[in-house]
Amino acid sequence: MRHEKLSPGLLLAYQDWQNEGETNLINHRRSLGILPPKSIIKPIKSIVFIYCNADADLSHLSQYGVEVNQNSGSVRTAFLPLENLAILSEETAIHQIKPSRRLKLRMDVAPQVVQLPDFQTKTGLTGKNVIIGIIDTGIDAKHHAFAGRILRIWDQTLPGLGVNEGSYGAEFTDTQLSISQDTEGHGTHVAGIAAGADATYSGVASEAELIIIKSDLQDAHIADGIRYIFRVARELGRPAVVNISLGNHADAHDGSDSLSQIIDAESGRGRIVCCAAGNEGNYNIHGQANIPSGRSRGMRFHVPLNQIGIVWLNAWYVSSGQLEVSVRSPNGFVSPYQKIITDGNPTQTYNLPDSQVELVTPGTDPANGDYNFFVQIRGQGRSPVQGGVWQLRVRNISTSDTKLDVWALDDNSSVFFTGKSIKDAVKIGSPGCANSAVTVAAYTTKAKYQDIDSQIREMGLDLNTISDFSSEGPLRNNAQKPDVAAPGAMIVAALSSHTNGDGLQPTVGHRSMMINSQFIAMSGTSMAAPFITGLIALLLQRDPNLDPNAIKDLLRQSSSIPGKSPGTFDPKWGFGLINAASLIG
């Protein structure tokens, strides 16, 4: 049996991109109206997924400094010293090692639009005895909207003894809950939409209890958080729904990535995961090209001047193709074409006069059987990447015409495809690609609001239609995503008190977004997902044994696209805007 391992070159390159992404992530969060964390504990070791035999005993790897977080399962998370990566290649029980990725962060009139009050009045459902898990930036445990209903917080960013699912972070209960603080505000707002209790700005499931994961946004740790929430809920004998308003595009966009696989494995009766579709609807982050057999094609992408330290492209195509890859700079310098490398390190570096290009062209990915290649571009020395129009050059040496999909991995969405390369589709990444996850698009129920200073703020959105920022599907394998749409524009919910302070990013907690001292208006599929999460909590209160397929069937049957017959799928809308009143029966 052949064992595919992760090359040190790919892991190092990916770590470089993630480190550069720290700065880009802060800038992207500013655009979303959320704050950078005051402190994120950077792990000394690499965070990885280990693919192995489900019953393999890997405890002996601790002698090499490898910390495996689970004792069983075919996909586990671990801390791995990079210098000991080669040792794992001798382990026959280990099939593949993949790097963890850092994900990015994705109620007044909204309930009336989807007839939620009618549903709640006629059913009496409040989410009581149901667990809502929030994996996000934390929560303001002292906010009155959550009083007495937060059961536990696992803060993955603080030093501590960890939990069963991972020996890192700190777990808090009871009077210790407020030790963990949401300095960004995103998680508090998300929790408020799903489960806040307030006379004016109540969440959907106002009596559900909460388990909070303050995440460092590594997808391996998000996977650990899912396992933690479901384990605690199982011990309490409660059904649970987990909200993940986070995402990324460093995956295959077909549900075969590590986090999506774990979501599918952990979901089941009374265990549901709800994900945001993403906010890239207005950005040309996705390119697509059809390369005929024996021909070459170029895909153009634009890099802003003096802004980007590292450019990353993530590309996928089916195994019937055989593509060679090259890069052309705005000054006309080109790297050699690089073929697929199945033996040895697939990472090759080329020094051009104006840039450094790294191409990673391994064999097929065992998770889906497709080819994946990465492109990394740096400036020379300490210079940023050369601004202007670049070209990804691909040459098809196979006998089959081949479709290539490429995503720009830039937290600012400032690197974008141009011309014929643009494909305004397939913009839902992990974890929204998970087959069992309920993936939610955003609908605009409000285009303006009055802030704390009685100023009217307009956001330039079209009222009563799908939000233009909402990412569209389908998936790369043509699977239908998103599943459903829910209110996601200018949603008013809880404001974390910890977002107001000197040195914090001014957008969240900015007076122009504040409704009052405790509530704030925000937009995004990050806001639409917890609306559906709360609704799922109500359904689980009525029937704790509902599984993902049953939940999605109920939601689809109760959703519709204006002007189209029921059951119609649209890559922007999913199966349409939810109508809660249709769920009464």
Side-chain angles (χ1 to χ4, degrees):
M1 179 178 182
R2 183 182 179 189
H3 297 283
E4 298 285 348
K5 312 289 183 175
L6 175 68
S7 73
L10 178 54
L11 186 52
L12 275 171
Y14 199 88
Q15 285 181 318
D16 287 343
W17 171 66
Q18 297 234 72
N19 291 337
E20 177 69 22
E22 290 286 342
T23 301
N24 291 340
L25 186 63
I26 291 173
N27 293 331
H28 177 76
R29 288 169 174 169
R30 287 181 178 136
S31 70
L32 291 182
I34 52 183
L35 301 176
K38 278 188 172 179
S39 62
I40 291 181
I41 306 301
K42 293 187 178 180
I44 298 174
K45 301 175 181 179
S46 298
I47 306 169
V48 298
F49 291 94
I50 293 179
Y51 288 65
C52 59
N53 296 340
D55 57 352
D57 182 1
L58 303 180
S59 59
H60 64 284
L61 296 178
S62 61
Q63 63 184 308
Y64 305 115
V66 180
E67 301 176 33
V68 182
N69 291 317
Q70 291 81 38
N71 296 323
S72 62
S74 58
V75 184
R76 310 182 198 181
T77 65
F79 294 99
L80 167 67
L82 188 62
E83 62 270 20
N84 290 339
L85 179 62
I87 295 172
L88 272 64
S89 66
E90 304 301 322
E91 295 287 332
T92 57
I94 295 178
H95 310 311
Q96 191 179 29
I97 303 166
K98 289 188 174 183
S100 174
R101 308 173 307 245
R102 184 180 299 279
L103 303 191
K104 58 184 178 181
L105 305 169
R106 304 265 185 236
M107 279 217 347
D108 41 19
V109 302
Q112 284 74 25
V113 172
V114 299
Q115 300 189 50
L116 179 63
D118 187 33
F119 173 72
Q120 292 173 313
T121 298
K122 292 182 178 178
T123 63
L125 297 173
T126 61
K128 190 176 181 63
N129 296 321
V130 177
I131 301 293
I132 289 180
I134 305 290
I135 304 179
D136 213 290
T137 64
I139 195 169
D140 181 354
K142 292 185 175 181
H143 199 292
H144 74 267
F146 314 114
R149 294 187 295 121
I150 303 175
L151 300 180
R152 302 189 195 185
I153 297 175
W154 178 18
D155 191 324
Q156 297 178 336
T157 72
L158 293 179
L161 300 176
V163 297
N164 292 350
E165 289 69 27
S167 56
Y168 61 95
E171 184 182 39
F172 302 108
T173 60
D174 301 323
T175 58
Q176 297 179 321
L177 291 170
S178 60
I179 294 175
S180 176
Q181 298 183 352
D182 180 12
T183 56
E184 302 186 39
H186 190 269
T188 298
H189 194 265
V190 165
I193 295 170
D198 181 78
T200 304
Y201 301 115
S202 182
V204 178
S206 59
E207 290 192 318
E209 292 180 298
L210 293 161
I211 296 176
I212 305 298
I213 308 294
K214 179 173 179 178
S215 178
D216 59 7
L217 306 186
Q218 290 285 342
D219 62 349
H221 291 167
I222 291 168
D224 294 341
I226 294 168
R227 288 166 164 148
Y228 171 82
I229 292 166
F230 285 154
R231 190 257 300 172
V232 174
R234 183 173 62 250
E235 292 173 353
L236 295 174
R238 311 273 186 84
V241 52
V242 176
N243 188 91
I244 307 177
S245 289
L246 310 164
N248 198 290
H249 291 282
D251 60 284
H253 293 71
D254 61 5
S256 65
D257 63 280
S258 305
L259 179 55
S260 292
Q261 286 191 44
I262 288 174
I263 288 173
D264 289 341
E266 295 294 321
S267 299
R269 292 185 182 275
R271 302 187 308 278
I272 312 298
V273 176
C274 190
C275 299
N279 301 325
E280 287 82 29
N282 287 325
Y283 300 118
N284 294 324
I285 63 164
H286 175 228
Q288 189 180 90
N290 291 295
I291 304 100
S293 173
R295 303 291 295 275
S296 299
R297 288 289 185 269
M299 299 179 67
R300 293 184 294 166
F301 59 97
H302 182 269
V303 176
L305 183 66
N306 296 325
Q307 291 186 31
I308 305 296
I310 303 177
V311 170
W312 266 81
L313 301 180
N314 169 36
W316 288 83
Y317 62 98
V318 296
S319 60
S320 58
Q322 291 278 317
L323 299 183
E324 296 179 336
V325 187
S326 169
V327 171
R328 177 175 178 168
S329 77
N331 295 321
F333 301 110
V334 298
S335 70
Y337 276 102
Q338 182 170 315
K339 65 180 182 179
I340 296 166
I341 301 175
T342 56
D343 295 319
N345 191 346
T347 303
Q348 302 293 316
T349 301
Y350 306 95
N351 285 303
L352 305 183
D354 57 356
S355 57
Q356 184 184 83
V357 174
E358 193 167 82
L359 302 178
V360 188
T361 54
T364 54
D365 189 302
N368 58 12
D370 291 346
Y371 284 110
N372 170 219
F373 67 81
F374 283 102
V375 177
Q376 182 197 85
I377 304 171
R378 294 174 176 270
Q380 286 291 8
R382 296 181 177 274
S383 300
V385 177
Q386 177 74 42
V389 177
W390 289 72
Q391 187 179 70
L392 176 65
R393 306 162 71 223
V394 286
R395 185 164 64 191
N396 187 357
I397 62 171
S398 72
T399 58
S400 302
D401 295 352
T402 302
K403 182 181 72 173
L404 175 67
D405 288 282
V406 189
W407 292 266
L409 305 184
D410 169 36
D411 290 322
N412 292 333
S413 298
S414 57
V415 175
F416 55 88
F417 290 93
T418 66
K420 295 181 179 179
S421 302
I422 298 171
K423 182 65 174 178
D424 198 20
V426 198
K427 296 182 188 176
I428 298 175
S430 174
C433 292
N435 178 64
S436 61
V438 179
T439 306
V440 187
Y443 180 90
T444 301
T445 56
K446 180 189 291 186
K448 61 183 178 181
Y449 64 95
Q450 182 173 294
D451 70 13
I452 192 171
D453 296 315
S454 299
Q455 297 295 310
I456 300 299
R457 305 293 180 179
E458 298 196 35
M459 305 309 296
L461 297 170
D462 292 330
L463 195 61
N464 299 324
T465 189
I466 202 74
S467 304
D468 56 8
F469 58 76
S470 188
S471 291
E472 50 271 274
L475 302 188
R476 190 175 64 89
N477 58 1
N478 291 320
Q480 293 179 331
K481 288 281 186 176
D483 293 292
V484 65
M490 307 325 304
I491 303 299
V492 178
L495 166 65
S496 173
S497 61
H498 304 300
T499 60
N500 299 303
D502 294 338
L504 294 179
Q505 203 285 89
T507 309
V508 159
H510 193 280
R511 292 187 68 84
S512 65
M513 298 181 69
M514 292 173 61
I515 304 301
N516 55 43
S517 62
Q518 293 186 311
F519 291 89
I520 190 169
M522 296 175 68
S523 294
T525 56
S526 283
M527 285 63 251
F531 196 98
I532 295 298
T533 292
L535 187 57
I536 292 171
L538 302 184
L539 296 175
L540 288 175
Q541 180 186 1
R542 186 167 67 182
D543 183 355
N545 293 313
L546 291 172
D547 64 14
N549 287 334
I551 287 285
K552 289 201 280 189
D553 283 345
L554 284 170
L555 294 176
R556 289 171 180 173
Q557 291 168 13
S558 301
S559 303
S560 62
I561 303 169
K564 296 187 178 182
S565 58
T568 300
F569 172 81
D570 179 89
K572 191 82 170 177
W573 286 81
F575 286 89
L577 179 66
I578 187 68
N579 179 357
S582 299
L583 294 166
I584 293 174

